[in-house]
Amino acid sequence: MKKLLTIYAAALALAFASCEAPRMSRIDQVNIVPKPTLAVVAEGVFDLTKGTPVNLLTDDAEAHYAVNLFNELVSPSLGKALKPVRTEVAADGAVNIELDPALGPEAYTLSITPARMTVTAGSAAGAFYAFQTLRQLLPDAALRGEQAGVIELPAVSITDEPFFAYRGTLLDVGRHFFTAQEVKDYLDLMAIHKINRLQWHLTDDQGWRIEIKQYPKLTEIGSVRASTQNNQAEFLKLPVTMDGVPSGGFYTQDEIRDVVQYAAERFITVIPEIEMPGHATAALASYPELGCLGEGYEVSGVWGVHKEVFCAGKESTFEFLENVLAEVIGLFPSTYIHLGGDECPKERWEACPLCQARMKEEGLKDEFELQSYFMRRMEKFAQSHGRQIIGWDEILEGGLSPTATVLSWRGSKGGIEAAKQGNNAIMCPQEYCYFDYYQTEDWQNEPYIGWGSCIPVEKAYRLDPLEGLDADEQKFILGPQANLWGEYIAQVPHLQYMTLPRLAALAEVGWTYGPKDWDDFKARVTAFKRLYDAKGYVYAPHMFED
Ligand code: TNX
């Protein structure tokens, strides 16, 4: 028996030795999304093997980081990480990597000829984007990480740079919690689309998700709700039904730091959002003294706009929020901190003697001005810590602070108004950018629940973030953002389905500004279909079907 086994093992070893890793043929057609500034496809292929030298023409930490990025992409198939060698000039038969600060920080050129491959990037971020483009040039089997002796790369010459510096998505973990690992997976999804901002919606009526050391009850009490609405009551005009199942979760500060670091490695800035003065029920359930009523709050299990908001009359509210923000600022290096500011009903303030007294004292003519007072006061605090604030477009009501950035969600008009006033704005108009909406009109037949109305990929692709603005005003538009609201999104496959392939459309809106050609986009976006399939991502299939 032992002898038999030895013979068998020897035969196996021989079989492996003689079975060389295959040559992976080049992709049939070069398709790149988002569309590069300039891309010229040429004849021939470059053969990448595990013996291909990687020449580093710049010798600094960023360049070495770029080599790691390259290896992450190709070493699973080549079976080993390629070692960089420092050289003065680019050479044939090699991959050449160079950083050239004369290019913009996110800019790159990628040149592949049968003789050599050369990446020149403005910074490590540019190299990162070059390799996201290169990913789209890899054969399917390489995307799946299958072994290859040779990977054929098509000859191309690409010069590329994003149009907008801000290309964002919002992830709502307030409504349904996603673990730190799931958030990291989401960051990976963003990164392949060259999206570089994550607005992390960490607090809402239905849950407080971030550990604040000074206020432990925020997570002890505020991160858990007893029961959750499980029907689309608003959309279907039905009475609300509840599931009766407790649900919760929060991130420790260590987890937050870890996610922020993971994002930074992918050139994504995480912008924390702490909601105020509205969407505050979970905070009030934890510290009821911060509300106008002072008692009787519960972490909410139903969706929609809630009338329980922070009391704007009490000094203790501001003290609390400043202490919270001080911890948040310590965790997030982002220049921008998002302070919410949306959907704040004024009913409690109207009936609250302290809020009314504050209005009198400060000479505020109505509750909208009181909200503006609230936001400006918190903005001042953020600024005293060297940060800038973003707020939903409601911060225009009652007087916009000259230094706040507006996130335009009720159409583009808030962003337009902000830009006309000389304020920065980010565009996420509801009718283009709400990825929690259905993907098709035929919503009854979609496999996952949506918020209500529908945004097909083509609609998402049609957003023009600069529409309605003249050249001077356009400078204030930082870029577009897609919002993934989480009322009905509790599981990762659902999250992926709502995101893909609409994120590819948003990616192109943010990266490539210019005339729209839907048919051309539709043909090119197959690059992402290959990737989604290789990685096993769940996506809406409709645009690939006809
Ligand atoms: C509006 S956008 C909201 C969210 C909801 C979303 C549902 C904004 C500032 N508020 O609270 O989750 O609609 O699509």
Side-chain angles (χ1 to χ4, degrees), residues 347-385:
E347 187 179 329
R348 293 294 185 220
W349 290 356
E350 282 161 11
C352 170
L354 293 176
C355 289
Q356 293 304 313
R358 168 89 67 196
M359 284 165 57
K360 240 209 193 117
E361 200 180 293
E362 297 290 335
L364 307 170
K365 77 168 190 300
D366 59 19
E367 285 71 19
F368 288 94
E369 289 197 358
L370 181 58
Q371 158 138 357
S372 178
Y373 163 86
F374 196 115
M375 299 308 289
R376 283 174 190 240
R377 198 168 154 178
M378 293 313 300
E379 180 186 23
K380 250 198 211 114
F381 178 80
Q383 286 178 337
S384 73
H385 284 69

Side-chain angles (χ1 to χ4, degrees), residues 1 20 34 80 100 108 116 122 205 326 333 361 363 405 459 486 492:
M1 182 66 185
E20 272 200 11
K80 83 178 246 252
D100 177 2
Y108 69 91
R116 63 170 79 169
D205 298 301
E361 200 180 293
T405 294
K459 179 84 184 180
V492 168

Side-chain angles (χ1 to χ4, degrees), residues 8 10 44 127 131 153 187 198 299 329 333 533:
Y8 179 67
F131 296 131
L153 299 174
L187 288 162
L198 175 68
V299 182
I329 283 168
D533 285 334

Side-chain angles (χ1 to χ4, degrees), residues 172 175 201 204 273 275 279 304-305 342-343 392-394 409-410 428 430 434 436-437 451 483 485-487:
D172 171 13
R175 272 55 178 270
H201 186 79
D204 215 307
E273 182 186 3
E275 278 272 20
H279 286 283
V305 178
D342 60 313
E343 298 180 324
W392 296 103
D393 60 41
E394 283 92 334
W409 73 279
R410 294 173 300 176
C428 62
Q430 222 168 356
Y434 273 42
D436 55 327
Y437 292 10
W451 174 258
N483 296 339
W485 292 108
E487 284 92 337

Side-chain angles (χ1 to χ4, degrees), residues 206-255:
Q206 296 82 8
W208 183 283
R209 306 294 180 210
I210 173 172
E211 177 190 25
I212 300 294
K213 303 268 193 204
Q214 196 175 338
Y215 299 107
K217 283 193 279 182
L218 283 171
T219 42
E220 276 163 30
I221 295 172
S223 73
V224 186
R225 58 178 179 259
S227 183
T228 301
Q229 175 178 341
N230 63 355
N231 70 336
Q232 296 162 287
E234 305 80 358
F235 178 48
L236 302 175
K237 313 236 173 325
L238 292 170
V240 170
T241 59
M242 304 294 288
D243 67 3
V245 184
S247 139
F250 70 91
Y251 310 102
T252 63
Q253 295 202 347
D254 280 344
E255 285 179 307

